[in-house]
Amino acid sequence: MYCEHFHLRRRPFELSPDPYFLYPTPRHNEALANLYHAVNGRRGFVVLTGEVGTGKTLLLRCLFDLLDRKQVAFAYLFNPRLTADDFLHHLLTDLNLAADLNGKSARLRVLNQFLLDRHRRQLTTALVVDEAQHLSPEVLEEIRLLTNLETTSQKLLQIVLAGQPELEDLLDSSPLRQLKQRVALRCRLTALSEEETAGYIARRLERAQGPDAAKTLFPDPVLAAIYRASRGIPRLINTLCENALVTAYAHQLSEVSESIVAEVVEDFRLQAAVPAPTHAPLPSAQEERRQLLTTLLRLARQLDTDTAAPELDWELRSAAKGEPV
């Protein structure tokens, strides 16, 4: 719709996780390299975490491209809200194995034989789970037991769990301590800095065949406004930029203005656009003592404790004056 107007060959801010548009920050490069080498090196268990919209699924898609080149067979679980039986069925189906066998033991035998055959041919097999923070304890236990499929020297199935920070809390829970101990590597994605946000936008526009578009479409004050509104979250950056371009096109403008960004922020009710709430400062040690003495004095008076109340009252007055008590 707006591509011709802005001399672009494709829409640069689609929300779909397209590896073509990967913006390789040092953190993303490091995470991708760690994931790839962990799987290809048969490290066993890897965890990738990051806040909503920081690019976890996009990074997994990039990982899939690398695994395909190395003939790594992998199953991809993108909807983890499954029963333990459905999970095993999905795993076998994704690996093109017979999943309709009677009984769990028969399915596990088929899977184990498949993994051993690939291992003998020096081929790697992986299971990648997205949105893993939604996995049930039963499925997580099934995944833990799959790590027991191994030779004397290597794991037969490489497992990647990707999810929001809640996944870290889940793995830290006592019932999953066995699973946590098997994690060989952890990676974490964070939001972009203001400089990286500008680079991210420029990269996407360049990949959309508009090498000079970043300078002409998004002036520096607009880039700063987008960063403030998105807090450096790539998904929110995409939403803001896409709709800002649509609005600028509707008004037949040649660039995006700060007022357009503000309009998009309001339309999408992006709470991150407003300054973060300032929390009340923690009370000082003197203030904490004053509050405690006030409470004790109130209790003493309620209990009619004549001996304690005068002493507490004196300490309270001293604390209010800032004197040591």
Side-chain angles (χ1 to χ4, degrees):
M1 179 171 56
Y2 59 71
C3 288
E4 184 176 353
H5 178 73
F6 293 118
H7 309 291
L8 300 171
R9 295 187 181 179
R10 59 183 297 183
R11 293 167 64 181
F13 299 106
E14 295 275 13
L15 292 179
S16 56
D18 187 350
Y20 179 76
F21 284 110
L22 175 68
Y23 177 60
T25 70
R27 294 183 301 282
H28 285 74
N29 280 339
E30 180 182 358
L32 182 57
N34 284 335
L35 291 174
Y36 172 71
H37 288 297
V39 172
N40 203 45
R42 300 179 183 177
R43 298 287 300 279
F45 214 115
V46 192
V47 173
L48 170 68
T49 57
E51 273 294 347
V52 178
T54 50
K56 298 182 296 296
T57 302
L58 174 57
L59 207 66
L60 292 181
R61 296 291 175 87
C62 295
L63 176 65
F64 296 160
D65 287 347
L66 295 174
L67 297 182
D68 279 335
R69 297 175 193 174
K70 286 293 184 178
Q71 295 183 304
V72 175
F74 59 88
Y76 177 43
L77 180 61
F78 54 87
N79 183 357
R81 291 192 178 277
L82 300 174
T83 64
D85 189 61
D86 288 338
F87 161 73
L88 190 56
H89 186 280
H90 179 93
L91 172 59
L92 267 63
T93 300
D94 238 22
L95 293 174
N96 296 316
L97 300 175
D100 295 325
L101 300 172
N102 290 326
K104 179 179 178 180
S105 60
R107 295 179 182 179
L108 289 176
R109 281 196 302 271
V110 167
L111 176 61
N112 190 50
Q113 189 59 50
F114 172 77
L115 296 176
L116 284 171
D117 289 342
R118 288 186 59 81
H119 178 72
R120 292 189 190 102
R121 291 182 286 149
Q122 298 185 336
L123 296 173
T124 306
T125 310
L127 164 65
V128 181
V129 183
D130 203 357
E131 301 292 346
Q133 76 276 358
H134 294 307
L135 288 168
S136 66
E138 293 77 17
V139 174
L140 278 168
E141 179 63 10
E142 289 295 330
I143 291 175
R144 183 187 72 82
L145 293 174
L146 287 178
T147 62
N148 291 330
L149 300 174
E150 58 188 355
T151 66
T152 55
S153 59
Q154 289 181 330
K155 299 291 184 183
L156 293 177
L157 183 64
Q158 316 311 311
I159 299 173
V160 178
L161 296 185
Q164 297 167 21
E166 290 84 353
L167 175 60
E168 296 176 347
D169 298 333
L170 189 61
L171 293 175
D172 286 338
S173 63
S174 179
L176 295 177
R177 60 188 182 277
Q178 293 187 65
L179 186 62
K180 179 182 178 180
Q181 290 178 2
R182 301 191 183 200
V183 176
L185 187 66
R186 289 187 183 230
C187 312
R188 184 163 192 187
L189 297 181
T190 58
L192 304 178
S193 66
E194 184 170 358
E195 182 180 357
E196 288 171 337
T197 298
Y200 175 89
I201 294 172
R203 165 78 171 184
R204 287 218 159 218
L205 289 168
E206 180 181 347
R207 299 295 275 174
Q209 301 301 315
D212 298 323
K215 298 177 182 177
T216 57
L217 294 181
F218 296 93
D220 289 344
V222 173
L223 292 174
I226 291 172
Y227 171 73
R228 289 194 301 271
S230 66
R231 300 294 177 89
I233 301 296
R235 185 180 296 161
L236 293 180
I237 295 172
N238 286 358
T239 297
L240 283 167
C241 291
E242 170 73 11
N243 288 277
L245 288 176
V246 171
T247 304
Y249 166 74
H251 291 87
Q252 291 296 292
L253 301 175
S254 59
E255 66 177 24
V256 175
S257 64
E258 291 181 77
S259 62
I260 287 178
V261 173
E263 180 182 337
V264 174
V265 167
E266 183 177 356
D267 289 344
F268 281 84
R269 301 175 63 86
L270 294 178
Q271 297 302 316
V274 301
T278 54
H279 300 286
L282 294 174
S284 63
Q286 192 78 17
E287 176 63 17
E288 286 182 341
R289 184 168 180 80
R290 190 192 68 78
Q291 293 174 1
L292 176 61
L293 289 172
T294 300
T295 302
L296 290 175
L297 181 60
R298 186 183 303 114
L299 289 173
R301 286 171 175 166
Q302 289 175 353
L303 295 172
D304 196 22
T305 307
D306 295 334
T307 56
E311 182 178 350
L312 289 172
D313 191 42
W314 174 82
E315 288 197 10
L316 181 59
R317 288 197 301 272
S318 298
K321 295 177 182 178
E323 301 173 355
V325 294

mmCIF file of all heavy atoms in Angstrom, residues 200-224:
data_model
loop_
_atom_site.group_PDB
_atom_site.id
_atom_site.type_symbol
_atom_site.label_atom_id
_atom_site.label_comp_id
_atom_site.label_asym_id
_atom_site.label_seq_id
_atom_site.Cartn_x
_atom_site.Cartn_y
_atom_site.Cartn_z
ATOM 1 N N TYR A 200 18.372 -0.899 14.075
ATOM 2 C CA TYR A 200 17.371 -1.912 13.737
ATOM 3 C C TYR A 200 16.436 -1.404 12.639
ATOM 4 O O TYR A 200 16.144 -2.103 11.665
ATOM 5 C CB TYR A 200 16.590 -2.272 15.001
ATOM 6 C CG TYR A 200 15.436 -3.226 14.803
ATOM 7 C CD1 TYR A 200 15.628 -4.598 14.875
ATOM 8 C CD2 TYR A 200 14.137 -2.750 14.580
ATOM 9 C CE1 TYR A 200 14.556 -5.477 14.717
ATOM 10 C CE2 TYR A 200 13.076 -3.608 14.425
ATOM 11 C CZ TYR A 200 13.287 -4.980 14.490
ATOM 12 O OH TYR A 200 12.221 -5.837 14.328
ATOM 13 N N ILE A 201 15.961 -0.178 12.799
ATOM 14 C CA ILE A 201 15.056 0.411 11.815
ATOM 15 C C ILE A 201 15.770 0.599 10.480
ATOM 16 O O ILE A 201 15.227 0.286 9.410
ATOM 17 C CB ILE A 201 14.489 1.750 12.339
ATOM 18 C CG1 ILE A 201 13.586 1.490 13.556
ATOM 19 C CG2 ILE A 201 13.718 2.494 11.249
ATOM 20 C CD1 ILE A 201 13.136 2.746 14.269
ATOM 21 N N ALA A 202 17.012 1.090 10.532
ATOM 22 C CA ALA A 202 17.785 1.284 9.302
ATOM 23 C C ALA A 202 18.029 -0.046 8.597
ATOM 24 O O ALA A 202 17.951 -0.135 7.370
ATOM 25 C CB ALA A 202 19.113 1.961 9.632
ATOM 26 N N ARG A 203 18.314 -1.078 9.355
ATOM 27 C CA ARG A 203 18.574 -2.400 8.779
ATOM 28 C C ARG A 203 17.338 -2.923 8.053
ATOM 29 O O ARG A 203 17.424 -3.441 6.938
ATOM 30 C CB ARG A 203 18.976 -3.354 9.901
ATOM 31 C CG ARG A 203 18.940 -4.838 9.561
ATOM 32 C CD ARG A 203 20.135 -5.257 8.764
ATOM 33 N NE ARG A 203 20.193 -6.707 8.630
ATOM 34 C CZ ARG A 203 21.169 -7.361 8.052
ATOM 35 N NH1 ARG A 203 22.208 -6.703 7.561
ATOM 36 N NH2 ARG A 203 21.158 -8.678 7.961
ATOM 37 N N ARG A 204 16.194 -2.773 8.670
ATOM 38 C CA ARG A 204 14.954 -3.281 8.062
ATOM 39 C C ARG A 204 14.628 -2.513 6.781
ATOM 40 O O ARG A 204 14.197 -3.113 5.794
ATOM 41 C CB ARG A 204 13.807 -3.179 9.054
ATOM 42 C CG ARG A 204 13.906 -4.207 10.181
ATOM 43 C CD ARG A 204 12.544 -4.733 10.557
ATOM 44 N NE ARG A 204 12.662 -6.013 11.243
ATOM 45 C CZ ARG A 204 11.819 -7.020 11.068
ATOM 46 N NH1 ARG A 204 10.827 -6.917 10.211
ATOM 47 N NH2 ARG A 204 11.968 -8.148 11.737
ATOM 48 N N LEU A 205 14.815 -1.223 6.815
ATOM 49 C CA LEU A 205 14.549 -0.424 5.619
ATOM 50 C C LEU A 205 15.547 -0.753 4.507
ATOM 51 O O LEU A 205 15.189 -0.824 3.330
ATOM 52 C CB LEU A 205 14.603 1.058 5.958
ATOM 53 C CG LEU A 205 13.442 1.580 6.814
ATOM 54 C CD1 LEU A 205 13.736 2.976 7.328
ATOM 55 C CD2 LEU A 205 12.142 1.559 6.023
ATOM 56 N N GLU A 206 16.777 -0.990 4.882
ATOM 57 C CA GLU A 206 17.789 -1.359 3.891
ATOM 58 C C GLU A 206 17.457 -2.706 3.253
ATOM 59 O O GLU A 206 17.583 -2.872 2.039
ATOM 60 C CB GLU A 206 19.162 -1.421 4.560
ATOM 61 C CG GLU A 206 20.288 -1.788 3.599
ATOM 62 C CD GLU A 206 21.627 -1.873 4.295
ATOM 63 O OE1 GLU A 206 21.733 -1.411 5.448
ATOM 64 O OE2 GLU A 206 22.567 -2.413 3.684
ATOM 65 N N ARG A 207 17.008 -3.663 4.076
ATOM 66 C CA ARG A 207 16.647 -4.979 3.546
ATOM 67 C C ARG A 207 15.399 -4.912 2.684
ATOM 68 O O ARG A 207 15.149 -5.803 1.866
ATOM 69 C CB ARG A 207 16.430 -5.965 4.686
ATOM 70 C CG ARG A 207 17.630 -6.207 5.561
ATOM 71 C CD ARG A 207 18.760 -6.874 4.803
ATOM 72 N NE ARG A 207 18.615 -8.318 4.759
ATOM 73 C CZ ARG A 207 19.392 -9.141 4.080
ATOM 74 N NH1 ARG A 207 20.377 -8.647 3.350
ATOM 75 N NH2 ARG A 207 19.195 -10.435 4.092
ATOM 76 N N ALA A 208 14.619 -3.846 2.858
ATOM 77 C CA ALA A 208 13.428 -3.645 2.029
ATOM 78 C C ALA A 208 13.767 -2.862 0.762
ATOM 79 O O ALA A 208 12.884 -2.311 0.110
ATOM 80 C CB ALA A 208 12.346 -2.914 2.813
ATOM 81 N N GLN A 209 15.069 -2.813 0.442
ATOM 82 C CA GLN A 209 15.559 -2.144 -0.772
ATOM 83 C C GLN A 209 15.373 -0.639 -0.710
ATOM 84 O O GLN A 209 15.040 0.007 -1.700
ATOM 85 C CB GLN A 209 14.877 -2.718 -2.015
ATOM 86 C CG GLN A 209 15.091 -4.200 -2.220
ATOM 87 C CD GLN A 209 16.558 -4.572 -2.344
ATOM 88 O OE1 GLN A 209 17.300 -3.906 -3.054
ATOM 89 N NE2 GLN A 209 16.985 -5.609 -1.648
ATOM 90 N N GLY A 210 15.579 -0.094 0.449
ATOM 91 C CA GLY A 210 15.535 1.357 0.592
ATOM 92 C C GLY A 210 16.733 1.841 1.371
ATOM 93 O O GLY A 210 16.607 2.205 2.540
ATOM 94 N N PRO A 211 17.945 1.814 0.812
ATOM 95 C CA PRO A 211 19.164 2.099 1.562
ATOM 96 C C PRO A 211 19.197 3.472 2.206
ATOM 97 O O PRO A 211 19.837 3.658 3.236
ATOM 98 C CB PRO A 211 20.269 1.952 0.507
ATOM 99 C CG PRO A 211 19.583 2.115 -0.816
ATOM 100 C CD PRO A 211 18.206 1.567 -0.619
ATOM 101 N N ASP A 212 18.540 4.445 1.615
ATOM 102 C CA ASP A 212 18.558 5.801 2.176
ATOM 103 C C ASP A 212 17.262 6.137 2.914
ATOM 104 O O ASP A 212 17.078 7.265 3.369
ATOM 105 C CB ASP A 212 18.781 6.837 1.074
ATOM 106 C CG ASP A 212 20.135 6.652 0.389
ATOM 107 O OD1 ASP A 212 21.097 6.297 1.100
ATOM 108 O OD2 ASP A 212 20.204 6.834 -0.837
ATOM 109 N N ALA A 213 16.375 5.146 3.021
ATOM 110 C CA ALA A 213 15.051 5.436 3.571
ATOM 111 C C ALA A 213 15.099 5.801 5.042
ATOM 112 O O ALA A 213 14.305 6.610 5.515
ATOM 113 C CB ALA A 213 14.128 4.231 3.364
ATOM 114 N N ALA A 214 16.035 5.198 5.799
ATOM 115 C CA ALA A 214 16.077 5.463 7.236
ATOM 116 C C ALA A 214 16.290 6.942 7.520
ATOM 117 O O ALA A 214 15.702 7.511 8.437
ATOM 118 C CB ALA A 214 17.179 4.630 7.886
ATOM 119 N N LYS A 215 17.140 7.585 6.736
ATOM 120 C CA LYS A 215 17.441 8.995 6.967
ATOM 121 C C LYS A 215 16.285 9.890 6.544
ATOM 122 O O LYS A 215 16.037 10.927 7.157
ATOM 123 C CB LYS A 215 18.695 9.388 6.200
ATOM 124 C CG LYS A 215 19.956 8.621 6.624
ATOM 125 C CD LYS A 215 21.152 9.007 5.770
ATOM 126 C CE LYS A 215 22.387 8.217 6.157
ATOM 127 N NZ LYS A 215 23.545 8.527 5.297
ATOM 128 N N THR A 216 15.592 9.484 5.486
ATOM 129 C CA THR A 216 14.540 10.353 4.955
ATOM 130 C C THR A 216 13.178 10.089 5.596
ATOM 131 O O THR A 216 12.368 11.005 5.708
ATOM 132 C CB THR A 216 14.417 10.152 3.436
ATOM 133 O OG1 THR A 216 14.146 8.775 3.151
ATOM 134 C CG2 THR A 216 15.703 10.547 2.744
ATOM 135 N N LEU A 217 12.913 8.853 6.007
ATOM 136 C CA LEU A 217 11.596 8.514 6.551
ATOM 137 C C LEU A 217 11.494 8.746 8.053
ATOM 138 O O LEU A 217 10.437 9.091 8.561
ATOM 139 C CB LEU A 217 11.250 7.053 6.241
ATOM 140 C CG LEU A 217 11.036 6.696 4.771
ATOM 141 C CD1 LEU A 217 10.670 5.231 4.627
ATOM 142 C CD2 LEU A 217 9.961 7.569 4.157
ATOM 143 N N PHE A 218 12.583 8.510 8.781
ATOM 144 C CA PHE A 218 12.550 8.603 10.233
ATOM 145 C C PHE A 218 13.678 9.532 10.719
ATOM 146 O O PHE A 218 14.788 9.080 10.987
ATOM 147 C CB PHE A 218 12.716 7.212 10.866
ATOM 148 C CG PHE A 218 11.593 6.255 10.565
ATOM 149 C CD1 PHE A 218 11.678 5.392 9.471
ATOM 150 C CD2 PHE A 218 10.463 6.208 11.359
ATOM 151 C CE1 PHE A 218 10.654 4.512 9.186
ATOM 152 C CE2 PHE A 218 9.439 5.326 11.088
ATOM 153 C CZ PHE A 218 9.528 4.481 9.993
ATOM 154 N N PRO A 219 13.406 10.817 10.823
ATOM 155 C CA PRO A 219 14.419 11.746 11.348
ATOM 156 C C PRO A 219 14.818 11.377 12.776
ATOM 157 O O PRO A 219 14.094 10.634 13.463
ATOM 158 C CB PRO A 219 13.702 13.104 11.304
ATOM 159 C CG PRO A 219 12.587 12.920 10.321
ATOM 160 C CD PRO A 219 12.161 11.501 10.430
ATOM 161 N N ASP A 220 15.937 11.889 13.221
ATOM 162 C CA ASP A 220 16.462 11.535 14.542
ATOM 163 C C ASP A 220 15.464 11.749 15.683
ATOM 164 O O ASP A 220 15.339 10.881 16.555
ATOM 165 C CB ASP A 220 17.751 12.321 14.815
ATOM 166 C CG ASP A 220 18.915 11.817 13.959
ATOM 167 O OD1 ASP A 220 18.800 10.703 13.407
ATOM 168 O OD2 ASP A 220 19.928 12.542 13.838
ATOM 169 N N PRO A 221 14.739 12.881 15.740
ATOM 170 C CA PRO A 221 13.765 13.040 16.834
ATOM 171 C C PRO A 221 12.677 11.966 16.810
ATOM 172 O O PRO A 221 12.186 11.558 17.863
ATOM 173 C CB PRO A 221 13.182 14.438 16.579
ATOM 174 C CG PRO A 221 14.228 15.150 15.776
ATOM 175 C CD PRO A 221 14.831 14.107 14.899
ATOM 176 N N VAL A 222 12.309 11.516 15.606
ATOM 177 C CA VAL A 222 11.293 10.468 15.483
ATOM 178 C C VAL A 222 11.841 9.138 15.977
ATOM 179 O O VAL A 222 11.155 8.376 16.670
ATOM 180 C CB VAL A 222 10.803 10.356 14.021
ATOM 181 C CG1 VAL A 222 9.868 9.167 13.853
ATOM 182 C CG2 VAL A 222 10.104 11.642 13.609
ATOM 183 N N LEU A 223 13.089 8.840 15.633
ATOM 184 C CA LEU A 223 13.728 7.620 16.116
ATOM 185 C C LEU A 223 13.774 7.609 17.643
ATOM 186 O O LEU A 223 13.527 6.571 18.274
ATOM 187 C CB LEU A 223 15.141 7.501 15.548
ATOM 188 C CG LEU A 223 15.256 7.248 14.039
ATOM 189 C CD1 LEU A 223 16.719 7.293 13.615
ATOM 190 C CD2 LEU A 223 14.639 5.907 13.663
ATOM 191 N N ALA A 224 14.072 8.764 18.224
ATOM 192 C CA ALA A 224 14.110 8.849 19.683
ATOM 193 C C ALA A 224 12.722 8.608 20.278
ATOM 194 O O ALA A 224 12.581 7.936 21.306
ATOM 195 C CB ALA A 224 14.647 10.212 20.108
#
